[in-house]
Amino acid sequence: MKYYSTNKQAPLANLEEAVIKSLAGDKGLYMPEQIPSIDKNVIATMKNMSFQEIADTVAQAFFGEDMDPQSLSDIVKDTLSFDVPVVHVNDNIYSLELFHGPTLAFKDVGARFMARLSSYFILRKGLNREVNVLVATSGDTGGAVANGFLGVPGIHVFVLYPKGKVSPIQECQFTTLGKNITSLEIDGTFDDCQALVKAAFVDDDLNKHMQLTSANSINVARFLPQSFYYFSAYAQLDRIGRADELVFCVPSGNFGNITAGLFAYKMGLPIKHFIAANNQNDVFFEYLQTGKYNPRPSVETYANAMDVGNPSNFARILDLLANSHKEIAALISGYRYTNEQIADTMCYVYNTYKYLLDPHGACGYQALADYQLKPEETGIFLETAHPAKFKETVDRILHSDIEIPAKLQEFMKGEKKSTPLGKDFEGFKAFLM
Ligand SMILES: *Cc1c(COP(=O)(O)O)cnc(C)c1O
């Protein structure tokens, strides 16, 4: 499989190049030249498969020709040592719980897969130069990526995060690890962190000095594996006879997750409609309404992993759907929520249905409720993080004292180590050099 750039000004790349480089030379995002389709008879048998088997089927279709199939199966198996259960919330609304991985966030899937795939290519090639992963995080990505790559040979990870804007639990998931993980506390916003990473990729001196790559969802190995769990959700609902008219609702920030869903759809997974749920960072919502894309600085909200003012994967969505606003707006609906609405939804759903939402999942649930499913439709929202990752916010809203899972408590025992830096590129560059 070859990968082209969404800007169409860079040469085609193979999988290895796309993974190791992340961003094409023309700053576009890599897209696979073809989208393999999965036979509908195979999709129909997925209800009898495990998550690992489902994921292996999808992974082989995408990556199988570019590597040894057995190694790919091993990577899938090793990545997915946890389940993504579908849980009934009320009426025809279900939650796809993506928070049962090592850092309790859906990003564990993409991060672990990418770490193992990169390591496979590095070892195969016998690269004698270390590969440096730069990752900007608004909270959740840092933990998932740092833990996914922890101790992986040949790779060093730099996590850039906005000072004071990630929760203490999130922060300790990447600042306490040591080894091949370095945390940089940036005096700025998430967008500043993302801008630093993007600037590093196009800086000649830096790229001569060191091999750089990104583990944000701009990397194909990070976002594509996220299509696995759309297939799993379908299979689980198929088992109970509820998969015929599926509406997927995705709490969105950089739009990697929903893009993976769109790939699943293009591969032949029967999905009727998508909903992108936003917090007050609503550039995509606005695009759906007006056809105009107006990126702007992000604002802080309770759902901080969705505080993104210029979603990187917007370029992929445009490319995938023929650059057509009409086509995009026909397949995807948008909703946006204020902090107050997020809090109201969390209270309502907890008190009425005894289901504990985190602030991101709350946007997803509420968007499905507002979409007003038809009786024959089944709605499923992606619950993207465990509520305990946002304990301070959740407890304040629900007047609760929710339990912190043992996995999270382990992180909190470690000692925080991070380097404070300004948001200017020169300072960041000097640090890396
Ligand atoms: C990253 C993240 C999102 C947004 O996902 P995108 O792929 O960036 O759209 C939503 N919720 C949580 C908890 C996240 O960590």
Side-chain angles (χ1 to χ4, degrees), residues 27-43:
K27 303 189 199 177
L29 305 190
Y30 283 118
M31 291 285 278
E33 267 202 313
Q34 291 104 31
I35 297 181
S37 55
I38 297 199
D39 194 280
K40 62 177 188 310
N41 297 319
V42 175
I43 293 177

Side-chain angles (χ1 to χ4, degrees), residues 106-107 140-141 251-257 305-306 358 360 384-385 390:
F106 79 87
K107 294 188 175 80
D140 263 12
T141 310
S252 295
N254 259 323
F255 282 72
N257 215 2
M306 290 153 57
D358 94 293
H360 307 78
T384 45
F390 304 92

Side-chain angles (χ1 to χ4, degrees), residues 402-419:
I402 59 171
E403 210 178 310
I404 300 181
K407 274 189 222 171
L408 275 188
Q409 285 179 19
E410 277 308 306
F411 289 110
M412 298 170 77
K413 290 184 191 145
E415 185 198 344
K416 173 183 157 178
K417 277 201 200 109
S418 66
T419 305

Side-chain angles (χ1 to χ4, degrees), residues 96-108:
L96 174 61
E97 292 186 350
L98 298 177
F99 55 68
H100 296 280
T103 73
L104 310 185
F106 79 87
K107 294 188 175 80
D108 284 325

Side-chain angles (χ1 to χ4, degrees), residues 65-78:
E65 63 182 62
D66 296 306
M67 58 189 295
D68 161 46
Q70 186 55 47
S71 302
L72 180 57
S73 292
D74 293 344
I75 289 173
V76 169
K77 230 186 212 151
D78 192 35

Side-chain angles (χ1 to χ4, degrees), residues 1 31-38 62 262-268 320:
M1 178 89 76
M31 291 285 278
E33 267 202 313
Q34 291 104 31
I35 297 181
S37 55
I38 297 199
F62 252 110
L262 295 171
F263 269 86
Y265 167 78
K266 290 274 182 183
M267 292 176 91
L320 206 55

Side-chain angles (χ1 to χ4, degrees), residues 197-273:
V197 169
K198 283 187 177 159
F201 287 132
V202 296
D203 186 271
D204 286 339
D205 302 336
L206 265 181
N207 285 280
K208 277 189 202 118
H209 179 71
M210 59 206 291
Q211 173 77 49
L212 295 176
T213 192
S214 160
N216 280 92
S217 54
I218 58 174
N219 194 300
V220 289
R222 226 321 276 291
F223 93 91
L224 259 182
Q226 295 174 168
S227 60
F228 301 162
Y229 43 67
Y230 288 87
F231 284 88
S232 170
Y234 175 89
Q236 292 178 62
L237 287 167
D238 199 19
R239 263 174 227 157
I240 55 169
R242 297 245 28 169
D244 290 342
E245 299 197 24
L246 273 190
V247 177
F248 270 98
C249 180
V250 189
S252 295
N254 259 323
F255 282 72
N257 215 2
I258 198 168
T259 302
L262 295 171
F263 269 86
Y265 167 78
K266 290 274 182 183
M267 292 176 91
L269 188 66
I271 298 174
K272 187 175 176 190
H273 196 68

